[in-house]
Every structure is written in C-alpha cells, then in structure tokens.
Amino acid sequence: MISQSPRFVLGVESLDDILGKVVDFGALVLIAGNPGAGKTLLASTICYANASRGIPCLYVSLQETKEVFFRHMRDFNMDFGELESRDLFKYYGLPIIMDPELINTLINELSTYSSKYKVLVVDSFTPLSRLIEKNSEIRAILQNFFYNLAKIEKSLVVLVAEIPMGKEALNLGDIEFVSDVVLFLRQCMERGLVTRFIEIRKAREAPVSIGEVPFKIIDKVGIRSFLPPQLEELPSIIRGVSYEYPCKELNEVLGPISAGSSMFVAIPADARSTENYVPGLVSLSLALKHKLKTLVIDYVRPPHTFIDSLLEYAAKKSPRSCDTLKKLVNELVSVEYVNPATMSLEELYTHEIELVRQHQPKLLILNRVDIPSRIHGIEKPEKYFTYLWNELLWFRKRGVTVVRISTYVNRESYLQNSSISETVVRLFKTLREPNLKIYLWSERKTPKIIDFQVLSKCLDEFVYGVCSEKK
C-alpha cells in the first residue's frame, strides 16, 4: 500500500524542513560531491526512508555489488534486505556501459520498473554523463527520460554525481538545469578535524534562506543534520510548565524555573572545591524531585562522576544508606562524556543535539561549557555564539530546560553567557569576604547575594527528605 501524505521525503530532517514541498509530489534531485563526502549514504537514506513508508524504491548502482551495499547500509541501521523481502526495494547492478547506443536499452529496461518503483536512484550518474557528453541526441533522450519520470510519472528521481577531489564546479551539462534540487556535499578540514556540509545549490520554487547545512555521519544512525528554528517558529519559554526548587529559600529568590529556559552557573576557576559543584547538584536534585528525565553532558569528567558526586554528598549527610536516591538516579539520569577537542564546531553542535534526540530529557546539564568555548570560540567568537544561540533555541523549542555550568573565565564571557540565560548563579569570593558567596538572578526578579550555606542547606533538605522516605 503506497502512502499518500506526504508522497515523498528525503529522510533527513533538515532537508525535509527546507525542501519537503519541492519533492512532495515528484522531483529530479541531483546529489553531487567529492569522493567520500557521503553521497551514496544520502541517496540510500532517501531510498530507505520512502520504501519504509510503503513507496517502493529501485536502486541502480554502477559502483558496488548488492552484498557490499547491503552490508554497508546495515552499519547505518538500514536493512535493505528486509525491505527487499517485502517487495519494497530492488537492487539493480549495472555494469559500466561503454557503447552509447546501449543507453536506449537501459532506458527501456528502467521503464518496465517505473510503474511500480516510484523512487529511482542512479548511483552514479557520472559514467553515463561522460559516455554521452559528445552525443547530443542520446544525452537528450536520457535527460528527458529522468525528467519525465519526475514530472509526468510523478516519481522521485535521485541522481548521484562524482566531482573530482578539490573541485566544486559540477560541469554535468543540461541535467543541472532540469533538476529541481541540486545538493552539493562537501567536507573540509579545520584544525585537522573533518567538517561536513550540504550546500543547497538549487531548489526550484522554494524560498530557501539557508544555503548551507552542517551534517554528521553517525555509526548505527546515518546522516544527522539540524536546522536552527526559523523566525516564524521562534519558541517562547513554556510559561505554563515550571519546576520548583527543592527548598523554600531558592523558590523565594529565583521563583520556579520554567520549562525550556536556560540557567548559567559560573564557578571560580582557581578554587574548584567540592562546594563549587553544589549548584549543579541542586539542579540535579530539582530533576529528581520532579522525576524529570535528565541528561548530563560532561566535557571534562569521566561518565557517572557527576552522579557519584551527588551520591557521595548524600552519604556524608545521611546517616543511612540512601537506596531511594540511588534508584531515582539510575532511573532518571544518563551521563555522556564529550571531548570537544575531537570535533569541529559543526560536528559538536550536531552531536549534542543528536544526544538530546536519543535521550529525550526534560533537563539537560552541560558541565564545564568553558571548555568548548575556549576550544572553538577563541578564533571565531561570532560563529561560536551563533551555534550556541541556535542550539539553545532548538532545546527551548522542545521544552528542554538547560543548566550550563562554567568556570569564570573573564567578565566578557560571563556577561555574554548571562545575556542568553533566564537564570544566573555565580559563586565568588572576595579579599574582604573569604567565605563563598552566591549571586542569584532570575528573569523578572531582583538580583540577590546569599551565603553559600543557603544553597548547601537546600541540597541537604532534599537529600534528607529523599533518604528519609519509607520504602
């Protein structure tokens, strides 16, 4: 049974957001790029996404055997063998054609499949293009065939083209002009790290304002790419949903924290004692109090250490073993360690969003955000801030409350992070006052400075309350 609404998809969220209306009822899509850029993976993703929705796909390959193709795609969680068993996919291995006159034979053979397989992928179109480049009559016949499939037969036709390494000009002749969508996949090196982009070079009758989309190839997942929210869908904080802190004093000073809002916590860079982690642990206790699924992305510490800090704190404060707290942590909290020095800024951005997609938390704690800021934000601060802002909007749109913990680097960095947060918590000491103080500010509240003991007491109350519950 062929699905009807919408007819076709591209299988990559960001591309469907931008180009969905272009390919909805048939289109000719040209995917070009240098070797290793991800062209075959993108074409296969389009094929798989539509076949999985009940729209049969014919995959014509001039490059690899069916067995190799199937094995490679299983690495990205695409089981074409299962689709083949349901008669939703057919792999058509085609030898390299040396005689231009055989093009008519190829067209006739593909035509026999066109009524059933409404998605056609040709990987790669480049050998065919080179074969017919000097034969204008056969070139016109082949191009008209693909164009008519898309426009008259209302099919989705995807052509993959190889561009020599180091080149970006397509030089594919008329096929570029008759295509409805032209995507160029490119990869570049920055600080020795790979960054991948999809350039949208053409999108017929689509008001495209974003011409370049970063993407990441993830093992067992495939292509992931995310767009910042558009202005017309700019999310507002979910005012109707909020979470109270685990103690009265913080609720009086800050008020409840709204779902989708962002908190920035600054701790002294040169005095990182156990006390400095209390604000993060209070955020974690807030999540446990309201039974919020929580993801901790930690940039400096090994997995579970953030959780261990809370459990160790509880062990010191509670005279008995707190199995209830351990159970809550195990059920609600996940920790992911991310080394931002191993990824480009674009890959880091995509990776973090993918982690949120996978875990689907209601609370996200980012520990030591000064690390990625120093790695990626020094040379290109405007670019880093743009990605940070778009990421926060993406989280807000999905109702994810974000707590960003940083060491205090300098006043400029502190003010920049504070300017995009709804709640600010800063721990500090002065020469006159060696005891730790905490500056608190929340949107629509008057800033206030409190003693550290107030925050510590808040955490104590939560730990005692949970650990005193009867089993």
Side-chain angles (χ1 to χ4, degrees):
M1 183 79 180
I2 294 179
S3 304
Q4 293 298 321
S5 180
R7 284 287 308 278
F8 299 111
V9 295
L10 295 173
V12 178
E13 182 182 24
S14 58
L15 295 182
D16 282 319
D17 288 344
I18 299 173
L19 304 170
K21 292 182 179 180
V22 182
V23 304
D24 198 4
F25 291 99
L28 179 55
V29 178
L30 178 61
I31 300 175
N34 304 134
K39 303 180 298 300
T40 293
L41 182 56
L42 177 56
S44 302
T45 299
I46 296 172
C47 179
Y48 189 84
N50 286 283
S52 297
R53 298 171 64 254
I55 306 177
C57 174
L58 174 64
Y59 198 101
V60 178
S61 177
L62 289 82
Q63 301 198 94
E64 57 189 353
T65 65
K66 174 181 173 180
E67 291 72 21
V68 172
F69 176 81
F70 276 28
R71 184 173 67 250
H72 183 211
M73 291 306 144
R74 280 196 296 270
D75 291 340
F76 299 102
N77 203 30
M78 290 187 282
D79 189 350
F80 280 97
E82 189 272 336
L83 290 178
E84 185 181 51
S85 68
R86 292 164 51 197
D87 206 24
L88 289 169
F89 174 79
K90 182 175 179 61
Y91 187 90
Y92 186 94
L94 184 68
I96 298 296
I97 298 175
M98 302 302 296
D99 186 353
E101 298 301 326
L102 293 177
I103 294 293
N104 285 320
T105 304
L106 171 63
I107 291 175
N108 291 333
E109 193 159 352
L110 293 180
S111 297
T112 63
Y113 296 111
S114 62
S115 60
K116 176 180 179 180
Y117 296 96
K118 305 307 292 183
V119 179
L120 170 65
V121 177
V122 178
D123 185 8
S124 155
F125 176 73
T126 305
L128 299 178
S129 175
R130 290 172 180 168
L131 183 65
I132 62 176
E133 61 183 351
K134 294 183 179 179
N135 191 322
S136 59
E137 181 179 350
I138 296 179
R139 183 172 69 245
I141 291 173
L142 185 62
Q143 291 174 353
N144 285 335
F145 170 71
F146 291 135
Y147 181 82
N148 289 336
L149 268 184
K151 296 304 178 183
I152 298 177
E153 299 293 335
K154 301 297 182 183
S155 297
L156 179 61
V157 180
V158 180
L159 305 180
V160 178
E162 292 279 353
I163 306 300
M165 192 68 74
K167 304 290 184 181
E168 293 195 8
L170 302 188
N171 297 323
L172 294 173
D174 296 340
I175 199 69
E176 297 178 48
F177 300 101
V178 300
S179 296
D180 299 290
V181 175
V182 176
L183 304 176
F184 184 83
L185 277 60
R186 66 180 180 88
Q187 54 188 9
C188 58
M189 299 290 287
E190 188 172 312
R191 296 186 300 106
L193 302 172
V194 175
T195 304
R196 291 183 171 90
F197 297 95
I198 300 175
E199 290 184 15
I200 303 173
R201 294 196 172 182
K202 181 180 180 181
R204 196 186 303 276
E205 298 179 0
V208 176
S209 59
I210 298 177
E212 185 177 81
V213 180
F215 75 97
K216 181 178 177 69
I217 297 177
I218 304 174
D219 191 34
K220 303 300 182 185
V221 175
I223 290 179
R224 283 293 182 266
S225 178
F226 301 93
L227 289 177
Q230 299 297 305
L231 288 177
E232 60 269 18
E233 60 180 20
L234 188 65
S236 59
I237 294 173
I238 307 173
R239 301 290 182 186
V241 180
S242 59
Y243 313 113
E244 291 187 343
Y245 293 93
C247 63
K248 179 181 178 182
E249 288 82 356
L250 279 185
N251 286 316
E252 289 178 348
V253 176
L254 296 175
I257 186 168
S258 298
S261 64
S262 175
M263 174 190 291
F264 178 65
V265 179
I267 61 178
D270 57 350
R272 297 194 301 275
S273 63
T274 304
E275 295 175 332
N276 286 311
Y277 294 104
V278 169
L281 299 183
V282 170
S283 302
L284 192 56
S285 66
L286 178 146
L288 300 178
K289 169 184 170 67
H290 294 281
K291 294 181 169 55
L292 303 177
K293 191 173 182 181
T294 300
L295 172 62
V296 178
I297 296 180
D298 203 321
Y299 298 109
V300 292
R301 303 161 81 186
H304 307 301
T305 302
F306 199 94
I307 293 175
D308 290 344
S309 297
L310 179 61
L311 297 180
E312 289 168 5
Y313 189 95
K316 293 178 181 178
K317 298 295 180 179
S318 176
R320 69 179 77 175
S321 176
C322 193
D323 293 335
T324 304
L325 183 59
K326 293 178 182 176
K327 183 180 178 182
L328 278 174
V329 168
N330 290 334
E331 289 178 350
L332 296 172
V333 184
S334 300
V335 179
E336 294 281 354
Y337 176 72
V338 176
N339 183 358
T342 63
M343 304 179 193
S344 66
L345 177 58
E346 290 79 6
E347 290 243 319
L348 178 64
Y349 164 72
T350 307
H351 182 68
E352 289 175 351
I353 290 180
E354 179 60 21
L355 288 176
V356 171
R357 279 176 55 94
Q358 291 175 2
H359 291 277
Q360 298 187 352
K362 289 298 182 182
L363 178 69
L364 173 63
I365 299 176
L366 300 168
N367 189 39
R368 291 296 305 277
V369 296
D370 51 295
I371 300 297
S373 174
R374 299 293 288 179
I375 290 173
H376 296 289
I378 298 297
E379 292 184 5
K380 299 178 180 179
E382 295 84 3
K383 180 180 178 181
Y384 177 80
F385 186 79
T386 298
Y387 275 100
L388 172 60
W389 176 241
N390 286 333
E391 188 178 51
L392 289 176
L393 290 181
W394 194 92
F395 295 147
R396 183 186 298 180
K397 181 180 178 182
R398 285 151 183 81
V400 179
T401 304
V402 182
V403 178
R404 303 172 61 248
I405 304 172
S406 170
T407 61
Y408 184 91
V409 178
N410 53 48
R411 182 167 178 77
E412 180 183 359
S413 174
Y414 170 75
L415 292 176
Q416 184 181 74
N417 282 286
S418 298
S419 72
I420 55 176
S421 304
E422 285 72 42
T423 303
V424 175
V425 178
R426 181 187 171 195
L427 282 67
F428 66 96
K429 293 181 179 181
T430 65
L431 294 176
R432 291 184 178 181
E433 183 58 65
N435 294 325
L436 201 59
K437 296 287 186 179
I438 301 178
Y439 169 86
L440 299 174
W441 170 82
S442 184
E443 196 174 40
R444 296 178 302 183
K445 289 280 188 176
T446 302
K448 190 172 183 180
I449 295 176
I450 63 173
D451 290 330
F452 172 79
Q453 285 71 20
V454 175
L455 200 62
S456 182
K457 180 183 176 183
C458 184
L459 187 57
D460 291 349
E461 288 182 16
F462 168 76
V463 168
Y464 182 79
V466 171
C467 296
S468 299
E469 289 181 0
K470 293 183 179 181
K471 298 180 182 178

